[in-house]
Each structure stands twice: as structure tokens, then as C-alpha cells.
Amino acid sequence: MENENLTPARFADKLQINRANISHILNGRNNPSLDIVSKILSEMPHINTEWLINGFGQMYKDEFDINSIPKEHDLFNQNPIISPQERDVVAKTERIEVNKPENDTQVTENKVINIQKSYNKKISQIIIYYNDSTFETFIPHSAQ
């Protein structure tokens, strides 16, 4: 996958297999099935069968040019691969300057908030609801 510049998801999509299969193989949970090996060889005929199955020899067949593999843009790479055509387009584009606003500060207003606590509050009644749809009301003696 790395040499082919494919993410696990794109690799699974290219082989038309479930992405979870690739995840399980990469995590060591499963070995690739014969079906997956067959799909790799049919979708990527330039892969050396001996290398894929046994791990011996070269990864690519002798007649394959490794530079012919298309490069994918990597979102996490800070130096993206730019083709010569893209480089020409970038070089010809104009630079647009964005002017900073003249007044980028805001005036805030300080206000004093007086919180008055009322210590004269007294409980007038307490209602308790039960799960059988009944309730009780309690009224303190001082509130009666």
C-alpha cells in the first residue's frame, strides 16, 4: 500500500473488499485470504506473485517502472506533490492581499451588579410526588 501510495481505505476500495478486512490484516488479527491475494494480483498485475505470497524476490515485476505509480496528495504532508502543470498555474496566479480592519477593538462596559440576598425567605410548603401518582403536601407550622 505504501509503495502504491494508497491508504488502507483506498486499497480496500480498489480491491472492492470490505475495509474491515484490510484493517484486520494490518492489525495482525487475520491473514489475507486467497480471495484477497487473487484480487491484489488481478488489480495490480505488476506485483510479483512470488513476493506477494512468499515474501521472496522483488516486489514488482522486472518490466514494471516504479515511477509510473501515480502520487496521491497527502493531507498531512506539509510539502504536497505538485505536478509541473499545477506549478505553472500556481506561479501565474495573482496574490490577493486582505486588509486588516481599521478598528479591531471593542469597547467593553463595566457594570456593577448588586446582588441582594433575601434572608427572609421561608418554606411555605413541600410537595412529594410518588411513582403511584399520589402525592403528599407538607406545610411547616410557622407557615400555617
Side-chain angles (χ1 to χ4, degrees):
M1 288 185 318
E2 289 174 14
N3 286 355
E4 296 284 320
N5 298 311
L6 294 171
T7 63
R10 286 185 184 238
F11 186 61
D13 293 345
K14 182 173 184 156
L15 299 179
Q16 298 177 349
I17 61 174
N18 190 328
R19 292 178 180 185
N21 290 340
I22 297 298
S23 176
H24 294 313
I25 292 168
L26 293 175
N27 292 328
R29 181 176 169 192
N30 295 343
N31 288 324
S33 67
L34 180 59
D35 181 51
I36 291 176
V37 171
S38 297
K39 286 185 179 194
I40 292 171
L41 293 173
S42 66
E43 284 297 319
M44 303 172 168
H46 52 278
I47 300 290
N48 182 353
T49 307
E50 179 78 17
W51 175 85
L52 184 63
I53 295 173
N54 299 318
F56 299 118
Q58 298 294 320
M59 179 177 171
Y60 296 109
K61 293 180 179 176
D62 290 335
E63 64 275 4
F64 180 71
D65 179 17
I66 195 167
N67 295 322
S68 66
I69 299 172
K71 304 291 185 204
E72 295 283 333
H73 288 288
D74 185 357
L75 295 176
F76 300 104
N77 185 358
Q78 296 301 315
N79 300 315
I81 300 167
I82 299 175
S83 69
Q85 294 84 4
E86 290 173 319
R87 197 173 295 121
D88 290 342
V89 170
V90 170
K92 292 178 185 176
T93 57
E94 294 180 29
R95 291 188 178 253
I96 301 172
E97 291 188 29
V98 177
N99 296 326
K100 188 175 179 181
E102 292 178 19
N103 184 7
D104 60 350
T105 60
Q106 293 180 345
V107 177
T108 59
E109 186 177 321
N110 292 331
K111 292 182 179 180
V112 177
I113 300 174
N114 292 325
I115 300 174
Q116 297 178 353
K117 294 184 179 182
S118 174
Y119 295 102
N120 296 331
K121 291 183 178 181
K122 294 185 180 181
I123 297 173
S124 62
Q125 73 178 18
I126 299 172
I127 303 174
I128 299 176
Y129 295 96
Y130 297 101
N131 61 359
D132 64 352
S133 299
T134 60
F135 67 93
E136 287 184 75
T137 303
F138 297 95
I139 299 175
H141 294 294
S142 61
Q144 293 179 352

